[in-house]
Protein backbone atom coordinates (compact mmCIF):
# COMPACT_ATOMS: atom_id res chain seq x y z
CA UNK A 1 0.00 0.00 0.00
CA UNK A 2 1.35 3.42 -0.94
CA UNK A 3 1.99 5.90 1.86
CA UNK A 4 -0.47 8.77 1.26
CA UNK A 5 2.21 11.22 2.38
CA UNK A 6 4.71 10.06 -0.26
CA UNK A 7 4.66 11.90 -3.55
CA UNK A 8 5.41 9.44 -6.37
CA UNK A 9 6.87 12.13 -8.64
CA UNK A 10 9.69 12.95 -6.23
CA UNK A 11 13.13 12.31 -7.73
CA UNK A 12 15.43 10.62 -5.25
CA UNK A 13 18.43 11.35 -7.49
CA UNK A 14 17.84 15.12 -7.33
CA UNK A 15 21.21 16.72 -6.40
CA UNK A 16 19.46 19.52 -4.48
CA UNK A 17 17.60 16.97 -2.36
CA UNK A 18 20.87 15.10 -1.72
CA UNK A 19 22.53 18.36 -0.66
CA UNK A 20 19.76 18.92 1.86
CA UNK A 21 21.04 15.90 3.80
CA UNK A 22 24.74 16.74 3.41
CA UNK A 23 27.24 17.38 6.22
CA UNK A 24 27.75 21.09 5.48
CA UNK A 25 25.10 23.39 7.03
CA UNK A 26 25.79 26.15 4.49
CA UNK A 27 25.14 23.71 1.64
CA UNK A 28 21.96 22.53 3.35
CA UNK A 29 20.87 26.15 3.72
CA UNK A 30 21.45 26.75 0.00
CA UNK A 31 19.58 23.55 -0.86
CA UNK A 32 16.57 24.61 1.24
CA UNK A 33 16.66 28.01 -0.47
CA UNK A 34 16.75 26.35 -3.89
CA UNK A 35 13.82 24.08 -3.03
CA UNK A 36 11.80 27.02 -1.76
CA UNK A 37 12.64 29.05 -4.84
CA UNK A 38 11.47 26.36 -7.25
CA UNK A 39 8.39 25.72 -5.07
CA UNK A 40 7.43 22.33 -6.48
CA UNK A 41 4.80 20.36 -4.51
CA UNK A 42 6.69 17.09 -4.95
CA UNK A 43 9.30 18.48 -2.52
CA UNK A 44 6.82 18.54 0.36
CA UNK A 45 7.84 15.23 1.93
CA UNK A 46 11.57 15.85 1.79
CA UNK A 47 11.04 19.23 3.51
CA UNK A 48 8.90 17.65 6.24
CA UNK A 49 11.41 14.86 6.75
CA UNK A 50 14.37 17.22 6.95
CA UNK A 51 12.50 19.48 9.39
CA UNK A 52 12.37 16.57 11.84
CA UNK A 53 16.12 16.08 11.90
CA UNK A 54 17.86 19.32 10.88
CA UNK A 55 20.20 20.45 13.71
CA UNK A 56 20.93 23.97 12.43
CA UNK A 57 18.51 26.76 13.40
CA UNK A 58 19.05 28.79 10.22
CA UNK A 59 18.50 25.78 7.98
CA UNK A 60 15.30 24.94 9.87
CA UNK A 61 14.14 28.51 9.34
CA UNK A 62 14.79 28.16 5.60
CA UNK A 63 12.90 24.86 5.55
CA UNK A 64 9.92 26.65 7.07
CA UNK A 65 10.18 29.36 4.40
CA UNK A 66 10.33 26.70 1.68
CA UNK A 67 7.18 25.05 3.04
CA UNK A 68 5.33 28.38 3.03
CA UNK A 69 6.09 28.63 -0.68
CA UNK A 70 4.18 25.45 -1.51
CA UNK A 71 0.37 25.33 -2.04
CA UNK A 72 -1.37 25.68 1.33
CA UNK A 73 -4.01 23.15 0.31
CA UNK A 74 -1.28 20.49 0.30
CA UNK A 75 1.01 21.78 3.03
CA UNK A 76 -1.51 22.59 5.78
CA UNK A 77 -3.17 19.15 5.94
CA UNK A 78 0.27 17.50 5.86
CA UNK A 79 1.54 19.68 8.72
CA UNK A 80 -1.62 18.98 10.71
CA UNK A 81 -0.92 15.26 10.23
CA UNK A 82 2.63 15.89 11.48
CA UNK A 83 1.15 17.10 14.79
CA UNK A 84 0.75 13.41 15.64
CA UNK A 85 4.50 12.95 15.37
CA UNK A 86 6.41 11.38 18.25
CA UNK A 87 9.46 13.39 17.17
CA UNK A 88 9.59 16.58 19.29
CA UNK A 89 11.51 18.58 16.70
CA UNK A 90 9.13 17.52 13.93
CA UNK A 91 6.20 18.54 16.10
CA UNK A 92 7.78 21.87 17.05
CA UNK A 93 8.62 22.66 13.42
CA UNK A 94 5.13 21.75 12.25
CA UNK A 95 3.57 24.09 14.82
CA UNK A 96 6.02 26.86 13.91
CA UNK A 97 5.41 26.49 10.19
CA UNK A 98 1.63 26.48 10.62
CA UNK A 99 1.92 29.79 12.46
CA UNK A 100 3.92 31.23 9.56
CA UNK A 101 1.39 30.06 6.98
CA UNK A 102 -1.44 31.49 9.06
CA UNK A 103 -4.15 29.23 7.65
CA UNK A 104 -7.26 29.15 9.86
CA UNK A 105 -7.74 25.43 9.19
CA UNK A 106 -4.88 24.67 11.55
CA UNK A 107 -6.60 26.14 14.62
CA UNK A 108 -8.93 23.20 15.17
CA UNK A 109 -5.92 20.88 15.47
CA UNK A 110 -4.41 22.90 18.33
CA UNK A 111 -7.48 24.46 19.98
CA UNK A 112 -7.28 23.67 23.72
CA UNK A 113 -11.05 23.26 23.75
CA UNK A 114 -10.60 20.34 21.33
CA UNK A 115 -7.20 18.86 22.24
CA UNK A 116 -6.68 20.10 25.81
CA UNK A 117 -3.14 21.01 26.87
CA UNK A 118 -1.55 18.37 24.65
CA UNK A 119 0.65 20.94 22.92
CA UNK A 120 0.59 23.91 25.29
CA UNK A 121 1.76 21.78 28.24
CA UNK A 122 3.97 19.47 26.19
CA UNK A 123 6.95 18.25 28.25
CA UNK A 124 9.40 19.29 25.55
CA UNK A 125 10.31 22.96 26.00
CA UNK A 126 10.58 23.82 22.32
CA UNK A 127 7.31 22.11 21.45
CA UNK A 128 5.51 24.04 24.20
CA UNK A 129 7.00 27.37 23.13
CA UNK A 130 6.12 26.72 19.49
CA UNK A 131 2.61 25.78 20.56
CA UNK A 132 2.17 29.04 22.50
CA UNK A 133 3.31 31.18 19.58
CA UNK A 134 1.35 29.21 17.01
CA UNK A 135 -1.86 29.23 19.03
CA UNK A 136 -1.66 32.99 19.53
CA UNK A 137 -1.04 33.51 15.81
CA UNK A 138 -4.00 31.38 14.72
CA UNK A 139 -6.66 31.79 17.42
CA UNK A 140 -9.98 33.26 16.22
CA UNK A 141 -11.19 36.29 18.18
CA UNK A 142 -13.97 34.43 19.94
CA UNK A 143 -11.53 31.83 21.32
CA UNK A 144 -8.94 34.24 22.73
CA UNK A 145 -10.18 34.16 26.30
CA UNK A 146 -10.24 30.36 26.45
CA UNK A 147 -6.71 30.26 25.03
CA UNK A 148 -5.51 32.82 27.58
CA UNK A 149 -7.07 30.76 30.40
CA UNK A 150 -5.17 27.71 29.14
CA UNK A 151 -1.88 29.54 28.70
CA UNK A 152 -1.88 30.90 32.27
CA UNK A 153 -1.87 27.31 33.55
CA UNK A 154 1.77 27.26 32.41
CA UNK A 155 2.85 30.28 34.46
CA UNK A 156 5.93 29.48 36.51
CA UNK A 157 7.20 26.80 34.15
CA UNK A 158 10.85 26.62 33.12
CA UNK A 159 13.61 29.23 33.15
CA UNK A 160 13.46 32.99 32.61
CA UNK A 161 13.52 32.66 28.81
CA UNK A 162 10.56 30.31 28.94
CA UNK A 163 8.77 32.69 31.31
CA UNK A 164 9.36 35.53 28.87
CA UNK A 165 8.07 33.50 25.89
CA UNK A 166 4.87 32.64 27.72
CA UNK A 167 4.31 36.19 28.94
CA UNK A 168 4.76 37.57 25.42
CA UNK A 169 2.24 35.06 24.09
CA UNK A 170 -0.33 35.97 26.73
CA UNK A 171 0.16 39.72 26.27
CA UNK A 172 -0.14 39.34 22.48
CA UNK A 173 -3.71 38.08 22.94
CA UNK A 174 -4.82 41.58 23.94
CA UNK A 175 -4.95 43.84 26.99
CA UNK A 176 -8.66 43.12 27.47
CA UNK A 177 -7.63 39.70 28.81
CA UNK A 178 -5.47 40.97 31.65
CA UNK A 179 -8.05 39.76 34.18
CA UNK A 180 -7.14 36.16 33.28
CA UNK A 181 -3.60 36.85 34.54
CA UNK A 182 -4.92 38.70 37.61
CA UNK A 183 -6.53 35.46 38.79
CA UNK A 184 -3.02 33.97 39.15
CA UNK A 185 -1.75 36.81 41.32
CA UNK A 186 -3.19 34.94 44.30
CA UNK A 187 -1.60 31.59 43.46
CA UNK A 188 -0.05 29.70 46.37
CA UNK A 189 3.16 28.99 44.45
CA UNK A 190 5.64 31.89 44.69
CA UNK A 191 7.05 31.23 41.21
CA UNK A 192 3.61 31.26 39.61
CA UNK A 193 2.68 34.42 41.49
CA UNK A 194 5.90 36.18 40.48
CA UNK A 195 5.47 35.16 36.85
CA UNK A 196 1.89 36.46 36.89
CA UNK A 197 3.10 39.79 38.34
CA UNK A 198 5.80 40.13 35.68
CA UNK A 199 3.27 39.31 32.96
CA UNK A 200 0.90 41.90 34.41
CA UNK A 201 3.71 44.46 34.15
CA UNK A 202 4.19 43.56 30.49
CA UNK A 203 0.55 44.42 29.79
CA UNK A 204 1.27 47.89 31.17
CA UNK A 205 4.67 48.27 29.49
CA UNK A 206 5.42 45.67 26.77
CA UNK A 207 8.89 47.13 26.18
CA UNK A 208 10.00 46.87 29.80
CA UNK A 209 12.88 44.55 30.61
CA UNK A 210 11.28 41.23 31.47
CA UNK A 211 14.12 39.85 33.58
CA UNK A 212 14.08 42.98 35.77
CA UNK A 213 10.29 42.80 36.13
CA UNK A 214 10.48 39.13 37.05
CA UNK A 215 13.19 39.73 39.68
CA UNK A 216 11.12 42.50 41.24
CA UNK A 217 8.01 40.30 41.17
CA UNK A 218 9.89 37.45 42.86
CA UNK A 219 10.89 39.76 45.69
CA UNK A 220 7.29 40.89 46.14
CA UNK A 221 6.02 37.31 46.01
CA UNK A 222 8.60 36.20 48.58
CA UNK A 223 7.67 39.06 50.92
CA UNK A 224 4.03 38.10 50.56
CA UNK A 225 4.82 34.53 51.59
CA UNK A 226 6.78 35.71 54.63
CA UNK A 227 3.93 37.99 55.65
CA UNK A 228 1.37 35.19 55.34
CA UNK A 229 3.53 32.98 57.57
Amino acid sequence: MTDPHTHPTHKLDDPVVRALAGPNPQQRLQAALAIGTRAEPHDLEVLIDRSRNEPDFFVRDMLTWALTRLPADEVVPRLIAELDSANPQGLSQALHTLSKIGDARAWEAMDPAAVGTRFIAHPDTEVARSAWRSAVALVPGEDRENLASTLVTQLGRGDVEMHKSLSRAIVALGEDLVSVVDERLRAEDDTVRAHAMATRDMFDDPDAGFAHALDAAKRVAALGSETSV
Side-chain angles (χ1 to χ4, degrees):
M1 183 174 179
T2 303
D3 184 341
H5 295 150
T6 301
H7 217 295
T9 60
H10 187 254
K11 296 180 180 178
L12 297 177
D13 59 350
D14 187 331
V16 178
V17 171
R18 287 203 307 272
L20 196 62
N24 187 310
Q26 189 59 37
Q27 290 178 345
R28 296 199 304 273
L29 185 70
Q30 291 300 318
L33 174 62
I35 290 174
T37 301
R38 72 189 186 188
E40 295 179 0
H42 69 229
D43 289 320
L44 174 57
E45 278 308 310
V46 76
L47 290 170
I48 294 284
D49 183 64
R50 191 63 211 172
S51 294
R52 296 186 192 116
N53 305 296
E54 174 54 53
D56 187 273
F57 169 81
F58 295 104
V59 180
R60 291 199 302 272
D61 210 36
M62 191 65 77
L63 292 168
T64 289
W65 173 78
L67 283 164
T68 67
R69 298 263 300 154
L70 300 182
D73 283 347
E74 291 196 31
V75 178
V76 171
R78 180 62 188 87
L79 288 172
I80 290 172
E82 189 69 5
L83 296 183
D84 289 328
S85 173
N87 179 315
Q89 181 171 300
L91 180 50
S92 176
Q93 284 296 113
L95 287 163
H96 174 65
T97 306
L98 284 169
S99 74
K100 294 299 182 183
I101 295 171
D103 192 300
R105 288 173 292 182
W107 171 244
E108 187 177 346
M110 63 183 72
D111 178 3
V115 302
T117 59
R118 175 184 170 194
F119 301 124
I120 284 170
H122 197 282
D124 184 272
T125 297
E126 289 309 310
V127 172
R129 290 173 70 170
S130 293
W132 302 340
R133 292 190 293 263
S134 190
V136 169
L138 293 166
V139 63
E142 65 272 16
D143 292 333
R144 287 185 308 119
E145 185 171 358
N146 181 61
L147 175 59
S149 296
T150 307
L151 287 174
V152 298
T153 66
Q154 300 303 296
L155 286 168
R157 176 182 173 179
D159 60 12
V160 67
E161 286 304 312
M162 197 150 189
H163 287 187
K164 182 163 63 175
S165 292
L166 180 59
S167 295
R168 282 178 172 167
I170 294 169
V171 171
L173 287 171
E175 59 184 20
D176 57 314
L177 297 175
V178 69
S179 61
V180 177
V181 176
D182 288 343
E183 293 170 8
R184 297 280 160 162
L185 296 175
R186 297 181 295 277
E188 291 185 12
D189 186 285
D190 286 355
T191 305
V192 174
R193 227 170 40 253
H195 193 181
M197 289 178 195
T199 305
R200 187 69 172 74
D201 287 346
M202 283 186 74
F203 273 104
D204 296 330
D205 185 3
D207 297 323
F210 180 79
H212 175 75
L214 186 61
D215 284 343
K218 285 178 179 176
R219 288 194 293 272
V220 172
L223 285 171
S225 293
E226 291 171 8
T227 304
S228 62
V229 173

